[in-house]
Amino acid sequence: QVVSVKKALDGSIAPDSKVEVRGWVRTRRDSKAGISFVNVTDGSTFDPIQVVAPNTLPNYEKEVLHLTAGSSVVCRGTLVKSQGKGQSFEVQAEEVKVLGFVDDPDTYPIQPKQHTLEFLREVAHLRPRTNTFGAITRVRHVAAQAVHRFFHEEGFFWVNTPIITASDAEGAGQMFRVSTLDAMNPPRTDAGKIDWGKDFFGKEAYLTVSGQLNVEAYCLALSKVYTFGPTFRAENSNTTRHLAEFWMIEPEIAFADLNEDANLAERFLKYVFKAVLAECGPDMKFFEERQQKGVIERMEKFINSSFERIDYTDAIEILKKAKKKFDYAPEWGNDLQTEHERYLTEEHVGRPVVVMNYPEKIKAFYMRLNEDGRTVAAMDVLAPGIGEIIGGSQREERLDMLDKRMVQFGLKPEHYQWYRDLRRYGTVPHAGFGLGFERLIVYMCGLQNIRDAIPYPRVPGSAQF
Ligand code: ATP
Ligand code: MG
Ligand code: MG
Ligand code: MG
């Protein structure tokens, strides 16, 4: 029977069964007694399985002895308990079929040694073959499944919001333009420049920066919904926290205020962390040992602590009184910098923090104005070791207030008629949040750079894969 390496190792196959494992060679070691030990991995689990290949195999000299890292093989034989330390089972091979050799082993980029993550970014198509990216990929998968499971169990519906949109939900002017121009023969201006005009079949269109506005419409009909899909922002800077293309999770709940939103965020994060700790044991152990000491404990602490809620105005006071010297002095009216966020969550309280009620001027137009007239019902969830991981708010459900804020932000209400309709036809208080999926992966895997949290990172100057 064909079995995955995971199954072969986890004890679910009876010893002495005949098995076939397929995968790629990690390492090969030859003993003087004429036996080769070939470690084979198929990505199904962290550890490779050891295939014991004796020199009695007909292709031993010609093929087995030429196997190098990256070669692909199909091995048939008997699954036996392993004598070796740390290994549960191995395959006593009766046949090792080589499907593909590595044509030039000396220049094969993924040698069996530790590579820097910077180097691996240059070979994004081969890095999934490393321990590190195998583990990240599995954690990403388990986390994504947990996201869907969480919302499903809580009675949410998954809504696929459009990728091509007309509205800049965040008003941050970081949009990529979509074009239907004939690239071979684009229209030109009198000066000979390409005339981008209104180029989505005659209308202006952009790649979405957030699915929120669209998901709100579904929220005001199905009560609890979420979107989870790709998001694009023209982040023209090189940070370790920003990608030009990332995946965002955005739930939206009707008949809810900011407190309920914060409760949801807390339950959500804890649920996903628990799932990853429970289902990704060997991968998490690897991150703990090789990526960042303490990542597992950090997640366990996160799961077991209740989030502290701090009003933005109080947060500014706390920061002003702090002994710490900040690069940017905290000032009421300015957004919190990462250094401020980390101080609050790491040093001031030592657990996750939800900062609430930010000045209205620094937050998006759709956030609900508070009674004080100068703050909005916005929240950021701050996590020790990273800072902002979630941004959310209660939405402005009153049409007159919404219109006022749009004008104030330089937006034309007539461009948002459909969004305004939601406030005209049976409006209700509602709230939601946005979470960058890659920020979550960075946090769980103890990574330093968000470029390692997504298979093919899109940042300025990198779109070759
Ligand atoms: P930041 O201050 O880090 O730029 P933001 O305030 O612009 O984030 P929001 O508009 O609040 O981000 O988006 C919601 C969430 O999306 C953020 O909390 C973060 O997790 C994630 N996020 C935002 N921009 C990016 C990006 N360029 N790459 C990856 N994740 C991002
Ligand atoms: Mg931003
Ligand atoms: Mg921010
Ligand atoms: Mg934000």
Side-chain angles (χ1 to χ4, degrees), residues 8-247:
L9 290 175
D10 73 9
S12 61
I13 308 279
D16 303 321
S17 301
K18 294 284 179 202
V19 296
E20 174 178 316
V21 295
R22 310 147 159 188
W24 291 266
V25 172
R26 266 279 156 72
T27 57
R28 191 195 85 236
R29 184 169 58 80
D30 309 312
S31 81
K32 291 215 179 68
I35 299 176
S36 292
F37 301 94
V38 186
N39 274 333
V40 174
T41 170
D42 64 358
S44 58
T45 188
F46 185 82
D47 288 315
I49 191 162
Q50 175 163 284
V51 173
V52 182
N55 61 5
T56 50
L57 295 177
N59 63 342
Y60 185 78
E61 301 268 321
K62 258 179 70 195
E63 295 196 320
V64 175
L65 285 182
H66 297 279
L67 287 174
T68 57
S71 311
S72 47
V73 289
V74 174
C75 309
R76 298 196 185 92
T78 311
L79 187 70
V80 299
K81 281 226 156 89
S82 177
Q83 315 292 334
K85 269 202 299 242
Q87 275 274 331
S88 50
F89 289 91
E90 62 189 31
V91 174
Q92 296 284 351
E94 284 142 32
E95 184 187 346
V96 173
K97 198 162 121 195
V98 181
L99 297 189
F101 283 104
V102 168
D103 67 5
D104 182 5
D106 292 337
T107 59
Y108 178 58
I110 311 299
Q111 299 293 332
K113 61 160 193 174
Q114 207 172 339
H115 297 284
T116 66
L117 296 172
E118 287 78 10
F119 166 73
L120 291 175
R121 276 172 225 144
E122 316 267 305
V123 287
H125 60 309
L126 297 174
R127 67 179 187 171
R129 299 176 177 212
T130 60
N131 280 333
T132 306
F133 285 89
I136 293 169
T137 306
R138 285 184 295 271
V139 167
R140 211 181 139 99
H141 166 80
V142 167
Q145 296 292 330
V147 167
H148 287 299
R149 217 164 50 235
F150 170 81
F151 286 122
H152 179 71
E153 285 171 12
E154 292 233 355
F156 284 68
F157 298 105
W158 180 28
V159 176
N160 301 119
T161 49
I163 289 172
I164 299 175
T165 60
S167 43
D168 181 0
E170 291 307 307
Q174 297 177 304
M175 303 185 86
F176 289 106
R177 190 116 180 216
V178 173
S179 167
T180 50
L181 290 187
D182 175 357
M184 301 305 285
N185 191 17
R188 305 254 170 203
T189 63
D190 292 344
K193 291 229 166 82
I194 293 180
D195 180 5
W196 294 100
K198 293 187 170 171
D199 43 22
F200 180 76
F201 306 113
K203 286 231 155 76
E204 261 178 60
Y206 304 89
L207 295 180
T208 182
V209 294
S210 158
Q212 181 203 314
L213 303 189
N214 298 93
V215 96
E216 276 183 60
Y218 272 72
C219 174
L220 296 182
L222 286 94
S223 304
K224 291 197 229 176
V225 295
Y226 70 106
T227 177
F228 182 4
T231 310
F232 307 86
R233 292 189 188 181
E235 308 271 9
N236 197 7
S237 61
N238 280 304
T239 82
T240 56
R241 292 154 41 87
H242 294 92
L243 293 163
E245 177 182 301
F246 62 101
W247 285 63

Side-chain angles (χ1 to χ4, degrees), residues 121 124 127 133 136-137 140 243 245-247 437-438 441-442 447 449-459:
R121 276 172 225 144
R127 67 179 187 171
F133 285 89
I136 293 169
T137 306
R140 211 181 139 99
L243 293 163
E245 177 182 301
F246 62 101
W247 285 63
F437 188 48
E438 286 73 23
I441 301 299
V442 160
L447 302 173
N449 195 319
I450 197 163
R451 296 168 194 207
D452 300 322
I454 189 164
Y456 296 99
R458 292 291 174 256
V459 292

Side-chain angles (χ1 to χ4, degrees), residues 368-381:
R368 191 181 197 277
L369 194 67
N370 287 325
E371 302 314 316
D372 62 14
R374 56 178 210 148
T375 63
V376 284
M379 67 165 188
D380 275 6
V381 179

